[in-house]
Amino acid sequence: MQQRLGPEAPAFFACYAQPPRRGLRVNTLRMPVADFLAMSPVALRPGGLIPEGFEILEDKPLGNHPAHLGGAFYLQEPSAMAPLAALDIQPGMKVLDLCAAPGGKSGGIGAHLAGQGLLVANEVVPARAKTLRHTLERLGIANGVVTCARPDTLCGALAGYFDAVLVDAPCSGEGMFRKDPEAVAAWSPAHVLSCAGRQQAILESAAQAVAPGGRLVYSTCTFSWEENEAVVEGFLEKHQDFSLEYSRRLYPHTYRGEGHFTARLQRNGAGKGKRQGSLPLPACKKAAYLEFCKDALEAAPPGESIELEDGRVLILPGPLPKGLEKVRVLTAGIYAGDMLGSRFQPSHALAMAAGVDWRRKIRLAEEQQQAYLHGQVLAIEGGGKGWCRVEGAGYPLGLGKMVEGALKNHLPKGLRLL
Ligand code: SAM
């Protein structure tokens, strides 16, 4: 870094004595930025990369705040928002996030898609893929597919399909040094080189998935040239059909964040990607599901409903590409609920999904929100009868059922606060 940064190096090294910067992204699927700012639990200032990205100015824990659990915001340090800015997502696009867990950038992509188009969020490590699924559920993303596949398998199966592909690559994590001592301990020159090899392989796979005319964004949270510019240069030498639009480094001493590298590449060619036929799936014909929709929702969520072998009912955002059957799909669209024999039981995910309008919405005061999040049953007057969505101030908290003046708590046990 001394060699690369020259006269800037002392400022770079000095910033490692400072605490890490924190940030959050307002989830615009839940509410407009102005509404969030009016109720924000912490002082914020704009991060400058995306309109809904902010730096947090107070040292206050936020993970268990109801607005966080309700998906009104996502905690993300400000410079990690650079890839989302580079992707320039427009509603209706088909987007692949190839290394997606825990889901920070996928969440942003989903928000920018605004319910239109398709997000395929992939994570190769199974336990992390589960976390990814829960993040997207919490953020209310209804047009996502979560997969757990190797990049070469997934990108081979969906070659030429995506308008935009993000590779937020596993890296040596120098941008994590201020907040994660393990990243410091794991660092070595050999680790940097092994990361670079893996990054080249992932990017090579990713290239296949990009439609002609589509874009590929490569990012890391590290500063070594081997893992950043060198990976991009090596890629461009092999792929004459791609060109570099720009690359950008954010450093902790030049920007109010932990640092990020982003490169935006464009695949030559005009027009949209190969439109592959729809994945054939069995339609859900269960009258019980439709009966539930009639009773509890203003309208059944648009999209085809399918029933999986395990009884889960999913509402698909639109036709899914052929090829997905070759990879492990954890969930797709909205996980509406389960068929238990001939009975339909709605899921927590349905209560969290953005764009689903419930007939019964039980809005809780702050103290009641805490009680609900701790798994308690609440006495509610005039709440009606039947399944309902439990809400905080403009964001959902989960599922409930009104029975004789009591709000039965259907928040999954694993999500309850201890
Ligand atoms: N984009 C994520 C976000 O914003 O929350 C962070 C992604 S993290 C930097 C990189 C991810 O790549 C990790 O979840 C890691 O498990 C995954 N990964 C590790 N090895 C991989 C490989 N060989 N191919 C694809 N992904 C890999």
Side-chain angles (χ1 to χ4, degrees):
M1 293 311 293
Q2 182 85 57
Q3 280 170 14
R4 293 281 181 178
L5 289 177
E8 265 186 60
F12 173 74
F13 292 125
C15 78
Y16 283 90
Q18 303 296 317
R21 306 269 187 174
R22 296 165 73 218
L24 63 80
R25 184 183 57 74
V26 179
N27 182 14
T28 49
L29 290 177
R30 294 281 186 237
M31 64 183 75
V33 172
D35 290 11
F36 180 81
L37 292 179
M39 58 159 257
S40 174
V42 275
L44 301 169
R45 74 172 151 192
L49 294 173
I50 51 172
E52 73 272 32
F54 294 87
E55 184 191 357
I56 296 174
L57 300 175
E58 285 171 86
D59 186 15
K60 199 168 163 186
L62 289 168
N64 283 343
H65 191 282
H68 181 252
L69 299 173
F73 66 91
Y74 184 88
L75 291 167
Q76 186 174 52
E77 66 86 8
S79 60
M81 299 173 197
L84 182 59
L87 280 163
D88 188 21
I89 301 295
Q90 304 300 323
M93 282 169 76
K94 292 183 295 190
V95 187
L96 169 64
D97 185 356
L98 193 52
C99 311
K105 296 174 191 82
S106 274
I109 294 167
H112 285 200
L113 286 175
Q116 295 163 48
L118 182 71
L119 162 67
V120 175
N122 179 66
E123 167 58 43
V124 71
V125 179
R128 290 176 63 81
K130 256 192 186 171
T131 306
L132 171 64
R133 174 184 162 188
H134 291 306
T135 301
L136 298 195
E137 216 167 86
R138 183 165 58 76
L139 297 174
I141 292 166
N143 56 333
V145 176
V146 177
T147 58
C148 178
R150 285 168 45 132
D152 54 347
T153 313
L154 180 65
C155 297
L158 298 180
Y161 183 74
F162 294 97
D163 304 311
V165 175
L166 172 64
V167 174
D168 187 36
C171 68
S172 62
E174 289 158 22
M176 304 288 283
F177 280 9
R178 291 203 292 197
K179 54 182 180 185
D180 183 5
E182 278 181 27
V184 182
W187 191 94
S188 70
H191 184 43
V192 167
L193 294 180
S194 103
C195 286
R198 188 163 54 171
Q199 289 151 353
Q200 282 158 12
I202 297 173
L203 205 51
E204 196 60 35
S205 298
Q208 289 183 75
V210 183
R215 71 189 63 122
L216 174 59
V217 170
Y218 173 75
S219 62
T220 72
C221 62
T222 207
F223 306 123
S224 71
W225 266 255
E226 292 85 344
E227 295 180 67
N228 293 317
E229 286 84 352
V231 170
V232 174
E233 278 163 24
F235 175 84
L236 287 169
E237 272 168 27
K238 280 206 225 155
H239 293 271
Q240 313 274 305
D241 54 335
F242 280 84
S243 48
L244 177 66
E245 289 194 7
Y246 68 84
S247 71
R248 183 180 189 192
R249 277 171 172 265
L250 295 174
Y251 284 117
H253 69 288
T254 56
Y255 177 73
R256 290 177 278 113
E258 296 310 288
H260 230 76
F261 172 83
T262 309
R264 177 167 144 156
L265 304 148
Q266 184 76 26
R267 186 168 185 180
N268 304 337
K272 295 283 174 186
K274 264 195 265 170
R275 292 286 179 255
Q276 304 179 11
S278 179
L279 181 67
L281 289 163
C284 174
K285 295 203 183 73
K286 292 282 153 51
Y289 162 67
L290 295 173
E291 209 35 55
F292 159 82
C293 291
K294 221 164 113 191
D295 171 59
L297 309 178
E298 291 297 344
E304 194 185 353
S305 49
I306 63 158
E307 187 188 340
L308 304 182
E309 272 173 18
D310 61 6
R312 273 189 299 159
V313 175
L314 305 181
I315 316 297
L316 302 181
L320 297 183
K322 257 189 197 151
L324 265 186
E325 70 277 13
K326 294 184 190 147
V327 301
R328 184 165 167 235
V329 174
L330 269 70
T331 191
I334 303 170
Y335 163 35
D338 298 274
M339 294 305 311
L340 307 173
S342 58
R343 198 161 61 82
F344 175 79
Q345 165 119 350
S347 74
H348 169 75
L350 184 65
M352 298 303 287
V356 176
D357 202 359
W358 287 69
R359 272 187 210 280
R360 281 178 292 278
K361 297 183 264 263
I362 307 291
R363 186 164 173 174
L364 302 181
E366 230 163 86
E367 246 172 56
Q368 293 173 310
Q369 291 179 37
Q370 286 296 335
Y372 173 79
L373 290 169
H374 281 83
Q376 292 173 20
V377 174
L378 297 164
I380 303 282
E381 269 179 40
K385 184 174 161 240
W387 292 107
C388 56
R389 185 164 97 157
V390 181
E391 297 183 344
Y395 47 83
L397 291 173
L399 184 66
K401 192 173 188 182
M402 284 302 303
V403 181
E404 292 171 1
L407 173 64
K408 302 281 180 196
N409 200 313
H410 282 266
L411 186 66
K413 293 220 161 56
L415 296 179
R416 293 179 186 184
L417 298 178
L418 296 173

